[in-house]
């Protein structure tokens, strides 16, 4: 299990230390989290406003840049999330479904779903669920509460049928059902903050929740 250095991919090549993301964009700026596909052939990385896809050698794990999806298209470097809303702004975490066909990202108030190409892992935007519907871009969490405020971590159940989000600001855990093609439907939440529509557990066991498994 000992670790030895192999290599890296960076926005600027890091003076020749790393492989360089093509062009002048900086999709890995402020990188916050990574997830690996179940087949080990894809790596997904989230940074502010962007989800990136990198190929991973299934034998030895070396990475090579492939592409990205971002709120604004990043000047043509990335595929553009439709509309003018920014559901990936301040993205904090990313998870891959057990079948490798869906990728989920959480940001403040929002959970986003992207399709992943089953053969090579490339991403395409599908939709999102947010506390306020994001001006029609996302499905709206029922009621007036904001259980996804400060969403910080996301996990998918081993059977691929449920998704969980821990939210720091809301001191909550929200749960969603997952449709056969990966789309999300809000099912409920637990919160220390007495959020309308959430179950309030005794005491404050979820205070500042920032990770979920």
């Amino acid at each position: 299990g000992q670790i030895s250095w192999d290599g890296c991919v960076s926005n600027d090549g890091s003076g020749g230390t790393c492989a360089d993301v093509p062009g002048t964009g900086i999709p890995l700026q402020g990188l916050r989290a990574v997830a690996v596909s179940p087949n080990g052939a894809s790596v997904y990385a989230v940074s502010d406003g962007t989800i990136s896809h990198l190929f991973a050698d299934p034998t030895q794990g070396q990475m090579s840049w492939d592409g990205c999806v971002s709120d604004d298209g990043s000047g043509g470097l990335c595929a553009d999330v439709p509309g003018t809303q920014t559901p990936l702004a301040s993205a904090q975490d990313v998870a891959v479904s057990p079948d490798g066909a869906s990728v989920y990202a959480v940001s403040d108030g929002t959970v986003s779903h992207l399709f992943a190409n089953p053969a090579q892992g490339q991403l395409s935007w599908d939709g999102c669920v947010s506390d306020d519907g994001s001006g029609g871009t996302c499905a709206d969490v029922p009621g007036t509460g904001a259980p996804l405020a400060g969403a910080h971590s996301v996990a998918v159940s081993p059977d691929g049928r449920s998704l969980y989000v821990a939210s720091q600001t809301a001191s909550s855990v929200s749960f969603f059902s997952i449709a056969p093609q990966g789309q999300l439907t809000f099912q409920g939440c637990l919160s220390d903050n007495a959020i309308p529509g959430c179950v309030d557990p005794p005491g404050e066991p979820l205070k500042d929740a920032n990770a979920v498994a």
Side-chain angles (χ1 to χ4, degrees):
Q2 292 87 349
I3 295 172
S4 58
W5 174 259
D6 179 45
C8 50
V9 177
S10 74
N11 286 328
D12 58 4
S14 301
T17 300
C18 303
D20 190 0
V21 172
T24 58
I26 50 173
L28 301 177
Q29 186 73 26
L31 184 67
R32 292 192 175 97
V34 297
V36 182
S37 63
N39 65 3
S42 290
V43 174
Y44 301 97
V46 291
S47 53
D48 188 8
T50 304
I51 303 179
S52 299
H53 172 243
L54 300 93
F55 294 120
D57 184 290
T59 303
Q60 293 188 305
Q62 292 89 348
M63 296 181 298
S64 59
W65 172 262
D66 177 49
C68 47
V69 176
S70 73
D71 284 332
D72 59 5
S74 303
L77 176 67
C78 304
D80 190 359
V81 172
T84 58
Q85 297 294 318
T86 56
L88 300 176
S90 301
Q92 294 291 332
D93 197 18
V94 61
V96 186
S97 62
D99 63 2
S102 290
V103 173
Y104 302 95
V106 291
S107 53
D108 186 11
T110 305
V111 185
S112 298
H113 171 239
L114 298 93
F115 294 120
N117 183 294
Q120 293 188 305
Q122 291 91 346
L123 294 170
S124 58
W125 174 260
D126 178 48
C128 47
V129 178
S130 73
D131 284 332
D132 60 5
S134 303
T137 298
C138 304
D140 191 357
V141 171
T144 58
L148 299 176
H152 205 273
S153 179
V154 60
V156 182
S157 63
D159 64 5
R161 298 174 61 183
S162 298
L163 179 139
Y164 303 91
V165 177
S167 300
Q168 195 165 26
T169 302
S171 293
S172 70
V173 176
S174 300
F175 46 100
F176 300 77
S177 60
I178 301 177
Q181 291 191 307
Q183 290 87 354
L184 299 172
T185 301
F186 182 80
Q187 295 296 336
C189 47
L190 299 102
S191 172
D192 287 343
N193 292 351
I195 293 174
C198 293
V199 174
D200 186 2
E204 293 188 330
L206 300 176
K207 184 174 178 60
D208 298 328
N210 60 21
V212 63

